[in-house]
Amino acid sequence: MQTRVLGVRVDVVTMDKAVEILENFIAERVSRVVATANAEMIMATKGDSNLAQILEQADLVVPDGAGVVWAARYQGCKVPERVAGYDLVQRLLAQAASHGYRVYFFGGAEGVADKACQAAKKQYPGLKLAGTRNGFFSAKDERLIIEEIRSTRPDILLVALGVPKQEKWLATHLKELNVPVSIGVGGTFDVMAGNMKRAPLWMQRLNLEWLFRLLMQPKRALRMMALPRFVIAVIGAKKH
Ligand code: UDP
């Protein structure tokens, strides 16, 4: 089942269901892409029709942000739970370790993907690494990066280039990458590497993860103005 939040399609799935769908994708071995929708991303589609189209064509769009879950429920759609990208990646890594899926970590500053990968290997013993690559590159490196990813034949490709760069990069190269599950993961490697903290559980439960991020990264304040604009737009859309 799907719902729409400000016109953006979001799949109504639980975490368990999302993991099951991704495992099926891996079994089917066709290049597929997963997006994690939050309020900022949905607001970004308003001025970026390319991003809107990418989300429309994604193979799975999970309700990543508390704002998206709230908006869907406000419109009367029973979204069962939040499927945060960070948590989905952890579940996938656990599955990868037990089923032998190979994972490629692409993105983040120099050394961050390596550090995230080392942490993942510790936490999920047996995890098979396909490769790592930092996320700062010029157009002339791109061919090499794609060839490297293709040749290591990952089952899961985690791409941490930030929104919307990661979604656009994946949409452009999806077919040639030939990876069954590719997913844009934003700041996930920074958290896994221990460079950034995730909000404590009590804040996540109170839907205050945005406040934690704002306190930790005040530079995000401007970007985060999208959140109140999102709430106003959702309320406005229901009135019409
Ligand atoms: N990043 C990158 N290449 C770039 C721009 C950003 O690898 O050209 C990385 C950056 O180092 C960070 C992640 O992308 O690890 C973006 O994290 P953020 O928390 O901003 O994610 P978002 O909220 O955009 O999903």
Side-chain angles (χ1 to χ4, degrees), residues 151-219:
S151 68
T152 57
R153 304 180 72 247
D155 300 291
I156 300 169
L157 170 63
L158 307 176
V159 180
L161 304 176
V163 176
K165 192 171 179 183
Q166 60 200 19
E167 286 72 22
K168 292 185 177 181
W169 195 87
L170 275 172
T172 307
H173 302 297
L174 191 66
K175 289 283 173 294
E176 50 186 336
L177 285 166
N178 199 23
V179 178
V181 171
S182 292
I183 169 166
V185 298
T188 294
F189 296 168
D190 295 305
V191 176
M192 291 179 70
N195 298 345
M196 196 84 76
K197 274 206 166 64
R198 189 145 186 239
L201 264 184
W202 67 268
M203 278 185 110
Q204 290 182 40
R205 288 199 182 112
L206 290 174
N207 295 337
L208 291 176
E209 194 155 13
W210 61 272
L211 177 62
F212 184 83
R213 285 199 106 175
L214 183 61
L215 295 172
M216 299 297 281
Q217 298 171 272
K219 273 196 255 160

Side-chain angles (χ1 to χ4, degrees), residues 1-228:
M1 197 172 91
Q2 294 180 349
T3 187
R4 291 207 169 258
V5 175
L6 298 180
V8 174
R9 154 273 181 125
V10 177
D11 291 291
V12 180
V13 287
T14 58
M15 177 64 82
D16 285 346
K17 184 71 193 170
V19 173
E20 188 191 315
I21 291 171
L22 299 189
E23 296 218 72
N24 286 336
F25 286 177
I26 292 174
E28 289 169 4
R29 309 221 64 79
V30 177
S31 293
R32 286 200 173 97
V33 66
V34 182
T36 65
N38 60 29
E40 267 181 45
M41 192 192 274
I42 288 180
M43 291 312 279
T45 63
K46 300 307 152 208
D48 186 341
S49 57
N50 182 214
L51 180 63
Q53 194 189 2
I54 287 170
L55 294 183
E56 198 60 38
Q57 290 169 355
D59 296 286
L60 183 70
V61 181
V62 297
D64 164 62
V68 170
V69 174
W70 164 79
R73 288 179 181 164
Y74 180 76
Q75 294 166 178
C77 174
K78 291 189 177 61
V79 169
E81 63 184 350
R82 190 179 160 205
V83 181
Y86 179 87
D87 296 327
L88 181 60
V89 169
Q90 303 313 306
R91 285 285 302 268
L92 271 183
L93 291 172
Q95 292 302 99
S98 58
H99 291 69
Y101 305 146
R102 293 156 55 75
V103 187
Y104 197 105
F105 290 64
F106 172 38
E110 179 69 48
V112 171
D114 286 327
K115 230 171 141 189
C117 174
Q118 291 318 318
K121 277 186 164 170
K122 240 189 218 154
Q123 197 170 346
Y124 308 104
L127 182 68
K128 284 193 185 140
L129 175 70
T132 62
R133 171 68 167 82
N134 76 65
F136 290 86
F137 54 90
S138 60
K140 68 172 174 37
D141 302 327
E142 210 144 49
R143 265 298 106 214
L144 219 62
I145 295 173
I146 293 162
E147 276 316 311
E148 145 91 10
I149 295 173
R150 275 176 66 89
S151 68
T152 57
R153 304 180 72 247
D155 300 291
I156 300 169
L157 170 63
L158 307 176
V159 180
L161 304 176
V163 176
K165 192 171 179 183
Q166 60 200 19
E167 286 72 22
K168 292 185 177 181
W169 195 87
L170 275 172
T172 307
H173 302 297
L174 191 66
K175 289 283 173 294
E176 50 186 336
L177 285 166
N178 199 23
V179 178
V181 171
S182 292
I183 169 166
V185 298
T188 294
F189 296 168
D190 295 305
V191 176
M192 291 179 70
N195 298 345
M196 196 84 76
K197 274 206 166 64
R198 189 145 186 239
L201 264 184
W202 67 268
M203 278 185 110
Q204 290 182 40
R205 288 199 182 112
L206 290 174
N207 295 337
L208 291 176
E209 194 155 13
W210 61 272
L211 177 62
F212 184 83
R213 285 199 106 175
L214 183 61
L215 295 172
M216 299 297 281
Q217 298 171 272
K219 273 196 255 160
R220 293 180 83 94
L222 199 65
R223 270 180 68 173
M224 288 181 68
M225 284 309 290
L227 301 185

